[in-house]
């Protein structure tokens, strides 16, 4: 028997839902926007309780929770299942679903159909695309808000020369700038800048009119995002330079599981308080029944 379902957490019920208008206002007022990734219901509840503004069901779920080597193999159906679980744990934060590789590049029709699935089947408020201003424009026209993503775009990391900072020459920085402006012009409500030199971000920020969320792009963006499993120490693998670790969840999990393993092996668990009781007279009756059965 496992833990029964819990009622919806109410920690976030005082907060008003984060809208696209609210994000624009935060940018205008210089209030930093907080975004995290989440891939499941309990993490979504933590993001809600922590007062996060935007939750992204990133395709980084591929390597962080599904065990793929990178983000390329994750499918739309897998992303939709994770996004729906996150939706059930969120109330106030804006929920953005990442369109996975191969689900939007082929045509505007494909991009629109996939974006609609994220809204209708998983309850996402918006979707994110890497680059692809043309597809972003089509999705926006079809009624779904789009977040863009420039700089290091993991879905096409091989073409970018691997997982490395982008925009480190004047020409490459200009290419990042042009892509950001194209996404802004396409109607994106926000853009992620990933792994860009801080000085380049400063230059591009002067031209941006929509909220920019940075990850490894310096301090001048309108907000910051980190990948949940990196920032909370849920995995023990490689950490990019721009990650700050705020917790050691894997260490805690390991300590807990090692303690359980030890206590089962030494019969220290379960203790009396972890067991169910039976009324003494019922136990006596049961034993009598067994004795009669043996005599028969
Ligand atoms: O998939 C992801 O986690 C992302 C973030 C790095 C923004 O795209």
């Amino acid at each position: 028997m496992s833990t029964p379902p819990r009622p919806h957490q109410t920690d976030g019920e005082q907060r008003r839902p984060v809208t696209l208008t609210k994000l624009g206002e935060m940018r205008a007022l210089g209030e930093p926007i907080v975004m995290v990734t989440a891939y499941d219901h309990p993490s979504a509840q933590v993001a809600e309780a922590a007062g996060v503004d935007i939750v992204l069901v990133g395709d980084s779920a591929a390597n962080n929770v599904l065990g793929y080597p990178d983000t390329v193999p994750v499918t739309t159906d897998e992303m939709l299942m994770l996004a729906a679980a996150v939706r059930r744990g969120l109330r106030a934060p804006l929920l953005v679903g990442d369109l996975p590789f191969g689900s939007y590049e082929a045509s505007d029709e494909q991009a629109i159909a996939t974006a609609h699935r994220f809204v209708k089947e998983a309850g996402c408020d918006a979707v994110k695309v890497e680059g692809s201003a043309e597809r972003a424009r089509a999705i926006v026209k079809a009624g779904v808000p789009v977040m863009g993503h420039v700089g290091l775009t993991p879905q096409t990391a091989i073409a970018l020369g691997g997982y490395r900072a982008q925009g480190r020459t004047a020409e490459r920085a200009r290419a990042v700038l042009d892509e950001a402006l194209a996404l802004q012009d396409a109607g994106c409500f926000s853009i992620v800048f990933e792994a860009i030199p801080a000085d380049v971000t400063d230059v591009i920020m002067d031209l941006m009119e929509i909220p920019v969320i940075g990850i490894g792009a310096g301090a001048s963006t309108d907000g910051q995002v980190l990948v949940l499993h990196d920032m909370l120490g849920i995995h023990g693998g490689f950490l990019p330079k721009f990650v700050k670790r705020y917790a050691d969840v894997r260490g805690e999990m390991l300590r807990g599981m090692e303690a359980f393993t030890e206590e089962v092996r030494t019969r220290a668990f379960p203790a009396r308080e972890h067991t169910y009781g039976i009324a003494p007279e019922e136990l006596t009756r049961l034993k009598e029944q067994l004795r009669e059965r043996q005599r028969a």
Side-chain angles (χ1 to χ4, degrees), residues 35-39 56-64 71 79 98 128 130 147 149 152 154-155 192-194 213-215 225-228 230 242:
M35 174 164 138
V36 294
T37 67
Y39 318 108
L56 169 70
V57 183
D59 61 355
S60 52
N63 35 303
N64 283 314
T71 60
M79 288 295 296
D98 220 356
K128 180 166 84 56
E130 294 190 3
M147 173 178 268
H149 185 156
L152 173 55
Q155 292 176 5
V192 169
F193 282 13
E194 178 165 355
I213 314 294
I215 174 164
V225 54
L226 281 179
V227 168
L228 188 85
D230 293 343
F242 54 73

Side-chain angles (χ1 to χ4, degrees), residues 165-236:
Q166 300 296 306
R168 298 184 90 169
T169 64
E171 291 72 27
R172 300 291 289 265
R174 182 60 204 256
V176 173
L177 185 158
D178 287 344
E179 198 166 30
L181 290 179
L183 285 164
Q184 176 168 268
D185 186 55
C188 287
F189 73 91
S190 171
I191 303 190
V192 169
F193 282 13
E194 178 165 355
I196 299 169
D199 290 335
V200 172
T201 300
D202 294 349
V203 171
I204 305 178
M205 282 307 287
D206 287 339
L207 301 167
M208 299 308 295
E209 292 163 4
I210 56 176
V212 173
I213 314 294
I215 174 164
S220 65
T221 52
D222 302 299
Q224 297 290 332
V225 54
L226 281 179
V227 168
L228 188 85
H229 285 53
D230 293 343
M231 65 175 286
L232 295 186
I234 297 176
H235 64 73

Side-chain angles (χ1 to χ4, degrees), residues 24-42:
E25 285 167 6
M26 289 175 77
R27 172 187 148 81
L29 293 169
E31 274 178 34
I33 298 168
V34 183
M35 174 164 138
V36 294
T37 67
Y39 318 108
D40 59 29
H41 186 256

Side-chain angles (χ1 to χ4, degrees), residues 232-250:
L232 295 186
I234 297 176
H235 64 73
F238 169 77
L239 274 190
K241 172 187 169 71
F242 54 73
V243 173
K244 179 168 175 184
R245 200 158 246 191
Y246 288 86
D248 177 25
V249 171
R250 185 178 187 279

